[in-house]
């Protein structure tokens, strides 16, 4: 029997759900949920408290907040404004956990990914819409921003190693060493286990981010351990593994077979397979042509631009706007 199987996902929530589907309780991992009826948004907090829990989850010790809003894909400016307000509040909560309540907080926003590949362009687009203030405050003072408390916001889009010949981590470490910010906020596109979460989910974590991990393209992580200062990761799932889609289709097929009198026996046989065995079977059946394929919605270009603006607006509200956001 396959004890561990690797479903491609960057979401801590989906890792926790995988264990729950197998009726396995993970010691050292706490899950809490809350639902905002007005925004129709579900917020799930997964807190990995121990090293044993981290090993089981495959995620570092820390807090992972997942915002799920089905209407996030709808081009409604008022709704997205409300999501931005909520997101700003949750990011501030993680900043407070890092004990960084400073009037002159200096923040470096890193837009990860490849601008030339639409599902991977989220980080670049967020930086495009960001209000950077470090140069203004340093040159003219905080009152030049018309605010009593102006944060120093700087930003960089490091690109990918195929474009620069350098790891994103190497670039970020160099900038951190030179500009000495108090905090890094890294924004990147993620991979999801469930297609219904594509472009409808935002994950923020106080453990940093590992570029490319969801699609099997592991790069050095941008974390507090690697850059020397706290790192908050913000990500949106934009792709799903093709094997996952086929696996979900097979689950629906099994349910249909069980309801058929003639083919009920076939469904019963397939039902005896564990989730891990079914997933590995699907990977074998679709290999080699579809095994490394990832799928994204056809209107991904508009969705990425829309959600990137929502994220950048939350950061603008948090760092450069005195308007109350929670």
């Amino acid at each position: 029997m396959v004890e561990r199987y690797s479903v491609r996902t960057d979401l801590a929530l989906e890792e926790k759900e995988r264990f729950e589907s197998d009726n396995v309780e993970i010691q050292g991992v706490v899950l809490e949920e809350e639902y905002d009826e007005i925004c129709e948004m579900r917020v799930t907090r997964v807190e990995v408290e121990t090293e044993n829990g981290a090993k089981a989850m495959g995620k570092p010790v820390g807090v992972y907040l997942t915002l799920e809003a089905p209407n996030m894909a709808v081009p409604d400016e008022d709704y997205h404004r409300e999501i931005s307000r909520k997101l700003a509040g949750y990011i501030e909560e993680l900043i407070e956990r890092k004990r960084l309540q400073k009037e002159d907080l200096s923040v470096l926003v890193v837009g990860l990914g490849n601008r030339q590949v639409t599902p991977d362009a989220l980080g670049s687009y967020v930086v495009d819409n960001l209000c950077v203030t470090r140069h203004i405050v340093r040159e003219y003072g905080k009152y030049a921003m018309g605010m009593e408390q102006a944060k120093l916001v700087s930003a960089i889009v490091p690109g990918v190693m195929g474009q620069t010949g350098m790891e994103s981590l190497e670039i970020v470490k160099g900038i951190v060493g030179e500009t000495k910010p108090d905090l890094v906020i890294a924004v990147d596109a993620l991979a999801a286990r469930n297609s219904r979460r594509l472009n409808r989910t935002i994950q923020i974590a106080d453990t940093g981010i590992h570029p490319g991990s969801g699609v099997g393209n592991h790069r050095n992580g941008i974390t507090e351990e690697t850059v020397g200062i706290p790192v908050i990761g913000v990500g949106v799932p934009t792709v799903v593994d093709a094997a996952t889609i086929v696996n979900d289709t097979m689950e629906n097929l099994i349910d249909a077979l069980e309801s058929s009198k003639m083919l009920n026996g076939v469904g019963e046989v397939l039902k005896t397979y564990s989730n891990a065995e079914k997933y590995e079977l699907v990977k074998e059946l679709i290999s080699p042509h579809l095994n490394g394929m990832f799928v994204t919605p056809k209107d991904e270009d508009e969705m990425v631009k829309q959600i990137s603006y929502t994220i950048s607006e939350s950061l603008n509200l948090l760092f450069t706007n005195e308007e109350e956001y929670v």
Side-chain angles (χ1 to χ4, degrees):
M1 176 179 287
V2 181
E3 296 296 336
R4 291 277 297 177
Y5 62 110
S6 177
V7 177
R8 298 285 175 79
T9 180
D10 289 305
L11 300 178
L13 170 61
E14 292 186 332
E15 288 287 355
K16 185 71 168 62
E17 288 176 341
R18 177 164 67 88
F19 285 95
E20 290 176 350
S21 66
D22 292 334
N23 297 315
V24 176
E25 182 66 29
I26 311 175
Q27 297 295 325
V29 179
V30 177
L31 185 145
E32 298 176 354
E33 286 186 359
E34 60 182 78
Y35 184 73
D36 188 325
E37 294 184 359
I38 298 177
C39 296
E40 297 183 14
M41 181 177 69
R42 185 180 305 280
V43 179
T44 305
R45 176 191 300 270
V46 177
E47 187 164 356
V48 182
E49 299 178 328
T50 66
E51 289 299 333
N52 287 337
K55 184 176 180 181
M57 288 278 291
K59 301 287 184 184
V61 172
V63 176
Y64 302 81
L65 298 173
T66 306
L67 287 66
E68 297 179 87
N71 294 328
M72 200 182 297
V74 178
D76 183 335
E77 289 188 8
D78 291 336
Y79 183 77
H80 278 263
R81 179 76 171 180
E82 193 61 34
I83 295 295
S84 295
R85 294 175 189 271
K86 294 288 186 182
L87 183 60
Y90 287 117
I91 293 174
E92 184 178 48
E93 177 188 332
L94 294 188
I95 292 175
E96 290 175 353
R97 284 178 58 91
K98 296 294 185 180
R99 300 178 180 177
L100 292 173
Q101 299 96 320
K102 298 172 57 178
E103 291 186 4
D104 58 345
L105 181 70
S106 179
V107 181
L108 171 64
V109 179
V110 180
L112 296 167
N114 188 344
R115 187 186 293 272
Q116 307 303 319
V117 180
T118 301
D120 198 30
L122 177 75
S124 306
Y125 290 166
V126 168
V127 169
D128 288 346
N129 296 311
L130 199 64
C131 180
V132 294
T133 61
R134 180 177 180 270
H135 59 306
I136 298 175
V137 174
R138 285 169 59 89
E139 185 72 22
Y140 303 107
K142 62 182 179 181
Y143 296 105
M145 297 296 300
M147 299 171 58
E148 289 293 329
Q149 299 179 8
K151 306 297 190 292
L152 283 72
V153 180
S154 55
I156 183 66
V157 179
V160 294
M161 191 162 61
Q163 297 169 324
T164 65
M166 295 177 284
E167 289 271 6
S168 296
L169 173 61
E170 294 175 320
I171 297 173
V172 173
K173 284 181 69 175
I175 294 172
V176 167
E178 183 67 26
T179 64
K180 295 178 172 54
D182 302 306
L183 171 71
V184 170
I185 295 181
V187 185
D188 198 10
L190 308 177
R193 159 67 179 81
N194 195 315
S195 58
R196 68 179 172 84
R197 288 196 168 103
L198 295 183
N199 303 304
R200 294 172 174 83
T201 302
I202 302 174
Q203 175 178 271
I204 56 177
D206 64 358
T207 59
I209 208 158
H210 294 264
S213 60
V215 296
N217 184 23
H218 298 280
R219 302 260 62 89
N220 292 329
I222 299 175
T223 66
E224 184 170 356
E225 290 73 25
T226 58
V227 301
I229 61 174
V231 180
I232 292 176
V234 180
V236 174
T238 59
V239 296
V240 63
D241 186 4
T244 297
I245 295 177
V246 177
N247 186 63
D248 291 344
T249 303
M250 189 170 79
E251 293 284 355
N252 294 332
L253 174 62
I254 292 172
D255 292 338
L257 290 174
E258 284 188 311
S259 63
S260 170
K261 292 182 179 179
M262 294 181 61
L263 301 174
N264 181 266
V266 178
E268 288 293 337
V269 172
L270 292 174
K271 201 75 173 180
T272 62
Y273 282 56
S274 68
N275 289 334
E277 289 170 330
K278 282 184 284 190
Y279 185 75
E280 291 299 325
L281 173 62
V282 167
K283 287 182 67 175
E284 289 181 15
L285 292 175
I286 69 173
S287 64
H289 304 295
L290 298 178
N291 217 1
M293 180 176 288
F294 289 83
V295 182
T296 194
K298 64 179 181 180
D299 54 351
E300 184 65 20
D301 51 348
E302 288 301 319
M303 285 186 170
V304 167
K305 289 179 181 178
Q306 180 174 275
I307 296 172
S308 67
Y309 183 79
T310 300
I311 295 173
S312 61
E313 186 67 11
S314 71
L315 297 176
N316 291 337
L317 284 171
L318 182 57
F319 297 128
T320 64
N321 197 319
E322 289 186 317
E323 179 185 350
E324 187 65 34
Y325 46 82
V326 292

